[in-house]
Structure formats: structure tokens, C-alpha cells
Amino acid sequence: MNASNMKERNSSRRFWNEYIKIYRFRITVSILLIAVVAISSSFYPLTINWSFKLIEDGNGKYLFIVMLIVPLIALIRGLSNYLQILLVNKTALSIVGDLQKTLYAKIIQSNIEIIEDNGAGNLISRLSNDTTLILQALERLMNSLVKDGLTAIVLLITMIYLDWKLAIVICFLLPLVAIPIYKIGKKVNSISKGAQVQIGKFTNLLNQSFQNIQTIKSFQLESREINYTNQEIEIRILNLFRLTKYRAIMGPIIEVLAGIFIGILLTFAGYQILEGNSTLGQLTAFITALLMISDPIRRISTLNSVYQEGLAAVDRVYDLYSNCDFIEDKSDAVKFPSEYNILKFENISFKYKSDQRDVLNNITFAIKEGTRNYIIGESGAGKSTVFKLLTRLHEVKSGNIKFGEIDISDIQLKSLRSQISIVSQNTFIFNDTLKNNINLQPNKSSKNIDFDKLMDDLNITNFVDKLSDKYNTKIGIDGISLSGGELQRLAIARSIYKDAPLLLLDEATNSLDSINEIEINKTLDKYFKDKTVLIIAHKLETIKNADNIIILKDGNVVGAGKYEHLKKDNKYFQDLINSTLK
């Protein structure tokens, strides 16, 4: 067994143990209903054979029973089939729902590298397209493999009962069908894996285009993006057509083989009747059973391709599982310290998986509790990475971050993040009311900050009063749009209202005009009192009153101190100031 087959077998076994096994009762009931459907199917040819015997024997007084038996069989078979379909579909939907919930939770709770490395579009594809393929495979496995398989077995037993010689002929011919089914199924598996990877890239491309629509239009990149998208669509069409081609080829193969079977069968059966070894009633019943068995076998013959697509999807999901790295608390982790006096970065080096170089190179600096600190430097210097390490979005691989004498890895993750509030460069809006976008924990209201007063101080009330539903107005996907300045003020309000002792601001006022920026900075002075504040800044005129300034260049700390001291003694700082004044 090659490595690929071993991996598929392990994935199937794991999927059974983790998601299917818990629904054993439903599956058992489904199989019992399927058994009723299969057994009732055999009564049709048996009833035909019995009717012919009554006619041949001239025994007409029992023929009326046929009129009662056939509708009863149809009722039992139809009702059992209906209940079985409902139960199978409900079970398959529950299994896939559990998979989607677990997969989403793993992605959200894991290190953010899983999103950075795979891209949002690819992950969305895994959660939607891959799980849809798994759903289709589960439904077909239960309906085709179990129901059609059991029905075929029961009908085959019936055929043996009616004429075992003819049944043996059929059994010898059946392997001719299995060979092309297996080979085509393996081909479908290979194509399906490539198609699923491609649709992830396609979703990423669409996501990128829609998110960057302003840039695309500003730089007149519509034609380029259309060409890129058209290429991916053509690849998608080719993949789907290849899948369709291999699925469709099964029909003609089965049709031709069925024709061969029937020709051989009729010839052999004819000789049997002429020699007196069989009757017309047996032959009619046998052919009825054969015709009834052909549909289940035809569906089973196309099952392998669907199964292979589903198996490829399961493999991709488990590949994603293996890449989900969780940041977990130590068994003896402590809560965030109420006092720590100093926050230290000691010999921190860090690089992302996708980078060849270190983003941070053995950096060391310290900030005092309750002070306002700025990190400055050119783009790519590693400023935002400092924030990611402080919030443990990424784990420190080399060096230590300490709050007093407590290492950040020794602090409970939930406790750490509850004590940090952050304003990112991009303000992310949830599909909810404006108030719930500011207070992200509606069940917890800030004890020290008056909501209405904060809204007034940040000039948010001015534009909210113009809205019909005020703070209950929906924003986001289903709601109104806000300007860049309004979004930035909302993000600042969100950060302040959390009332965390450590605030991280990444260009918090870059979308505000100069007048509003001055007003907002006055407000920030008021609310930042007694808090530890770390700000990434590009506008160096805003940092003059900083308690401490940390200068990063190419991942290295090249200076730290107060504004006047750095302006006098640090050449790189002088160059930064001069470049911003030009």
C-alpha cells in the first residue's frame, strides 16, 4: 500500500471515529429501514413468479391476493424509503455541521499564521466547498452503498432462488464492471484534489479583488483583474469538465456491459426453457429482478467518483487541522499582574513562516507602567510585529517579554488579552449595531467610563444624532457605511471603553483631518491618564511629549529615549524628522 492510500485510509478511519461514530444509533435505524426497502424489493419478482405458477396450475381462486399484496409491498417500501431518506440526510447534515463547527473553532482559536499563510478565501473554500463535497459523499454512501448495495444483494439472492444457473452467469460477468469503476475512481480522486485547491485560489482572488476595489479602480486595474479571474474561471471549467467526463463515461460502460449481459442471459435462458429446466414464469421473474438490480448497480458504479471527491476533501480538511497551532496556557499560568512597574522586551528575535529574514533581530527595550510610549521607524521595521507578540497572536520563539518578573508565556492568555486594548491600522466592523461595535462585550459595561460622555468627547454623537436609530443603527454588511474618520473614531472609542490598563495604538488617528486629530489627541490625553500606552506613529510631530520613544530600523532597536535627547544624539532620528518635514 503506497503512502497516498495509507493517508486516505487513516483519514477515513479518523473521520469515522471523530464525527460519524457518535451517530451510530441513527445509522443503525437507517440500515434497518434500508433492509425493509431491500427485502420488500424482492417481493416483486417473487410475486410475479407465484402468479405465473397459479396461472400455469389453473388455480385462479388465489389470484385476487396479488391485487392486495402488490399495493401493500409498495406502501411498506415507499414509507420505509421516505423515512430512511430523511434520517440519512439529517445524519449527514449533522456530521458535516459538526465538522464545520470544529474546523471554524480550530481556525479561530489557533495561531493567526493559519489565516496569514492560507488566506481568507482558501479557508472559506475549505469550510464551504470541501464540506459540501463531504456531505454529498456521505449521502451517497448511505443511499447508494448501503441501500443500493443491500437491495442488490437481496435481489441477487432472489435471482439465485429463481434460477441459480442464470445467477452464476451474472456473478461471473459482474467483475467486468468493477475494473473500470475502480480505475476511473482513482482518476477522479486525483482531479478532485487539484480542483479543490484551485477553487481555494479562486475564492482568494475574488476576495482580494472585492476588498481592494478602490485601489483597482484608482489604478485602472480592472482589465488585469478580469484577465486573472478569467484564467482561474477557465481552469475551474476545465477541472469540472474533466470530472464530468469521467463521471459520465460510467453510464455508457455500464450500458454496453448490460447489453452484453442481457444478450448472454436471454440466450442461456432460452436453452434452459427449451430443455425443460426452467419455466416462463421463472424467466419473467428473473428478468424482473435483473431489471430492478440494474438501477442500484448503476448508482453504485458512479459512487466511487463521488466517494473519491469526498475523501480528497476530508484529506484537505485534516491537512488544515495539522497546521492549526494552538497557543495554550501552561498548567501553572497566572493572571495578569495588577502591578508590574516595567514591561521589558529582552533579546527578542522573530520571523514569520513565509519570511526568510528575521523581522525582529535580538531587540531589547523597556517601558514603564503608566507612561506614554511611541514606536517609530520606516515601513517594514517590525513595529506591528511588536504588537502581535504583546497580544500573543504569535508566540515568542527567541527571547522574553516580561511584565515585571513574570514572563508573558506564564500569563493566562484570556487574562492577558482582557488587559490589553488595541486600535489597528484597519478598523474592522462587525455586522451589528453601532453600539455593539463599540462595546464588543455587551454583557460587560465599563465601570469607570461613561458611554455617553465618551461619545461626546470623541465627536461621535455629532454623526450618530443624524441616524434614525441612533446607536441601534446597523452597520457593516447589512447596515450603513461610515467614513474613514468615523470608523477611526469608533475604533478609538472601542479601545477606550474596554478600559484596559495597557493600550496599543497603531496609527490611531491617521484617517482624521488635522483639526479633528488635535481634538481627538486632547481626548486621548484625558482617557490615557494612569494607563500604559504604546503607540506606533508616523507623524513625528505628535510624539514630542512622549515619555519614551523607541526607534526601529530593519528589525533592530537603534535608539530609545525622550524626544529632545534623541533629536540631539541620534542621527537616524534626525533623518526621520527631516524626512517628515520635507
Side-chain angles (χ1 to χ4, degrees):
M1 183 180 292
N2 60 38
S4 177
N5 289 338
M6 181 65 74
K7 183 183 177 185
E8 289 173 0
R9 177 171 290 186
N10 290 338
S11 295
S12 299
R13 187 182 296 115
R14 182 178 174 185
F15 190 64
W16 164 264
N17 289 328
E18 293 180 356
Y19 295 101
I20 301 177
K21 200 174 181 179
I22 59 173
Y23 294 101
R24 282 175 296 183
F25 177 74
R26 285 192 199 174
I27 294 170
T28 301
V29 174
S30 297
I31 291 172
L32 290 175
L33 290 169
I34 287 169
V36 174
V37 173
I39 293 169
S40 61
S41 298
S42 68
F43 280 92
Y44 286 117
L46 292 175
T47 303
I48 291 172
N49 186 43
W50 182 64
S51 301
F52 268 86
K53 279 187 177 181
L54 289 176
I55 295 169
E56 288 173 358
D57 296 341
N59 192 354
K61 63 180 181 178
Y62 293 114
L63 278 175
F64 75 94
I65 298 177
V66 175
M67 185 175 64
L68 301 176
I69 291 177
V70 174
L72 182 61
I73 293 170
L75 177 63
I76 293 171
R77 190 171 186 273
L79 185 60
S80 300
N81 197 39
Y82 169 72
L83 293 174
Q84 171 265 323
I85 289 171
L86 288 184
L87 193 54
V88 164
N89 279 271
K90 184 178 181 181
T91 304
L93 288 168
S94 298
I95 291 168
V96 171
D98 291 345
L99 175 64
Q100 288 176 315
K101 290 172 187 175
T102 304
L103 181 57
Y104 178 75
K106 280 184 177 289
I107 293 169
I108 288 294
Q109 293 171 352
S110 71
N111 188 312
I112 64 169
E113 283 183 355
I114 194 72
I115 297 176
E116 293 173 341
D117 293 345
N118 287 276
N122 191 33
L123 296 177
I124 291 169
S125 174
R126 304 276 182 100
L127 277 163
S128 57
N129 297 315
D130 284 8
T131 52
T132 298
L133 290 173
I134 294 170
L135 175 63
Q136 292 170 350
L138 285 171
E139 290 174 345
R140 285 293 304 276
L141 279 170
M142 287 298 293
N143 287 319
S144 292
L145 182 63
V146 180
K147 184 170 74 175
D148 292 332
L150 193 55
T151 300
I153 290 170
V154 170
L155 288 170
L156 184 59
I157 292 171
T158 304
M159 290 162 67
I160 293 171
Y161 169 77
L162 291 168
D163 192 322
W164 65 271
K165 293 179 181 178
L166 286 178
I168 289 175
V169 172
I170 296 296
C171 289
F172 272 114
L173 294 173
L174 282 177
L176 296 176
V177 181
I179 296 171
I181 289 174
Y182 175 77
K183 290 187 175 180
I184 290 172
K186 298 303 290 182
K187 188 68 176 178
V188 166
N189 181 289
S190 175
I191 297 171
S192 181
K193 284 183 178 179
Q196 289 167 34
V197 170
Q198 190 273 334
I199 199 171
K201 293 179 181 178
F202 180 52
T203 309
N204 256 339
L205 181 62
L206 293 178
N207 190 47
Q208 172 186 285
S209 296
F210 297 144
Q211 283 190 339
N212 298 324
I213 190 63
Q214 291 186 16
T215 304
I216 290 169
K217 288 188 175 296
S218 298
F219 285 86
Q220 301 178 58
L221 301 176
E222 290 94 337
S223 296
R224 188 191 74 175
E225 292 301 308
I226 289 170
N227 286 335
Y228 286 162
T229 303
N230 286 349
Q231 289 173 17
E232 290 298 326
I233 290 172
E234 287 298 325
I235 294 172
R236 181 66 180 156
I237 289 171
L238 178 61
N239 286 334
L240 291 176
F241 179 73
R242 291 174 70 197
L243 284 172
T244 302
K245 181 177 70 174
Y246 282 104
R247 288 175 189 159
I249 196 65
M250 288 308 305
I253 290 174
I254 298 298
E255 199 74 32
V256 172
L257 290 174
I260 296 170
F261 291 179
I262 292 172
I264 295 172
L265 174 68
L266 290 174
T267 303
F268 188 82
Y271 282 118
Q272 286 283 93
I273 293 172
L274 289 173
E275 292 173 2
N277 295 325
S278 183
T279 66
L280 186 60
Q282 286 177 306
L283 177 60
T284 305
F286 190 94
I287 292 175
T288 301
L290 181 62
L291 292 174
M292 290 182 68
I293 205 175
S294 63
D295 279 341
I297 289 177
R298 187 179 291 110
R299 286 192 291 267
I300 290 171
S301 72
T302 60
L303 171 64
N304 192 41
S305 61
V306 177
Y307 168 73
Q308 293 295 341
E309 289 181 54
L311 186 57
V314 169
D315 277 343
R316 274 169 50 82
V317 167
Y318 280 126
D319 283 343
L320 187 61
Y321 269 27
S322 62
N323 291 326
C324 288
D325 296 325
F326 293 94
I327 298 177
E328 297 178 323
D329 291 334
K330 294 180 178 179
S331 59
D332 58 348
V334 300
K335 290 189 175 181
F336 190 89
S338 56
E339 292 183 5
Y340 53 87
N341 296 321
I342 192 165
L343 166 60
K344 295 176 286 186
F345 273 60
E346 297 178 340
N347 307 115
I348 295 291
S349 294
F350 183 82
K351 72 176 178 180
Y352 297 100
K353 284 183 180 179
S354 56
D355 283 347
Q356 299 298 318
R357 65 180 183 85
D358 284 345
V359 179
L360 299 176
N361 299 306
N362 199 36
I363 68 169
T364 297
F365 66 84
I367 61 177
K368 293 180 180 179
E369 186 177 11
T371 60
R372 186 183 297 195
N373 306 266
Y374 285 85
I375 300 179
I376 65 171
E378 297 173 326
S379 296
K383 303 184 295 297
S384 295
T385 301
V386 170
F387 280 15
K388 290 179 180 179
L389 295 178
L390 266 176
T391 50
R392 286 185 74 187
L393 295 177
H394 292 279
E395 284 283 46
V396 174
K397 300 293 194 303
S398 174
N400 302 94
I401 299 175
K402 291 185 176 181
F403 290 87
E405 295 304 316
I406 303 175
D407 193 272
I408 194 171
S409 63
D410 294 325
I411 300 173
Q412 295 171 4
L413 188 60
K414 188 174 182 180
S415 178
L416 172 73
R417 290 177 180 169
S418 70
Q419 300 301 304
I420 299 175
S421 196
I422 187 166
V423 179
S424 303
Q425 287 182 353
N426 300 313
T427 303
F428 297 100
I429 296 299
F430 295 92
N431 189 34
D432 204 340
T433 64
L434 200 149
K435 185 170 185 176
N436 286 343
N437 266 282
I438 295 171
N439 181 14
L440 294 180
Q441 297 173 305
N443 297 326
K444 296 181 182 179
S445 297
S446 176
K447 296 178 180 178
N448 302 318
I449 297 175
D450 182 271
F451 183 86
D452 294 329
K453 184 68 171 66
L454 176 62
M455 297 305 103
D456 289 337
D457 290 342
L458 291 173
N459 295 325
I460 292 176
T461 308
N462 292 342
F463 71 82
V464 170
D465 283 342
K466 299 174 185 177
L467 304 175
S468 57
D469 293 326
K470 301 297 188 287
Y471 287 100
N472 291 321
T473 301
K474 268 250 187 172
I475 59 177
I477 297 171
D478 296 331
I480 64 168
S481 297
L482 300 178
S483 69
E486 289 168 344
L487 286 173
Q488 194 133 51
R489 278 182 284 186
L490 186 150
I492 294 170
R494 178 190 289 171
S495 175
I496 293 174
Y497 194 69
K498 185 178 179 182
D499 198 24
L502 176 57
L503 284 88
L504 309 178
L505 286 78
D506 191 348
E507 285 295 302
T509 58
N510 66 345
S511 292
L512 300 174
D513 57 65
S514 56
I515 296 174
N516 276 309
E517 185 175 15
I518 293 170
E519 293 300 318
I520 293 297
N521 279 324
K522 289 179 181 178
T523 301
L524 295 181
D525 289 338
K526 172 183 174 182
Y527 286 100
F528 286 175
K529 188 178 180 182
D530 298 326
K531 294 186 184 295
T532 305
V533 184
L534 188 56
I535 303 170
I536 293 175
H538 289 110
K539 298 177 182 178
L540 300 190
E541 63 270 18
T542 65
I543 68 173
K544 291 182 179 179
N545 296 322
D547 295 307
N548 185 37
I549 300 168
I550 299 142
I551 308 169
L552 288 180
K553 181 182 180 183
D554 298 329
N556 298 286
V557 174
V558 294
K562 287 187 175 290
Y563 183 90
E564 292 301 328
H565 167 72
L566 293 170
K567 185 178 179 182
K568 178 181 178 182
D569 298 332
N570 191 290
K571 179 66 168 60
Y572 183 63
F573 185 68
Q574 294 168 7
D575 292 342
L576 288 175
I577 293 174
N578 292 332
S579 66
T580 58
L581 294 176
K582 289 180 181 179

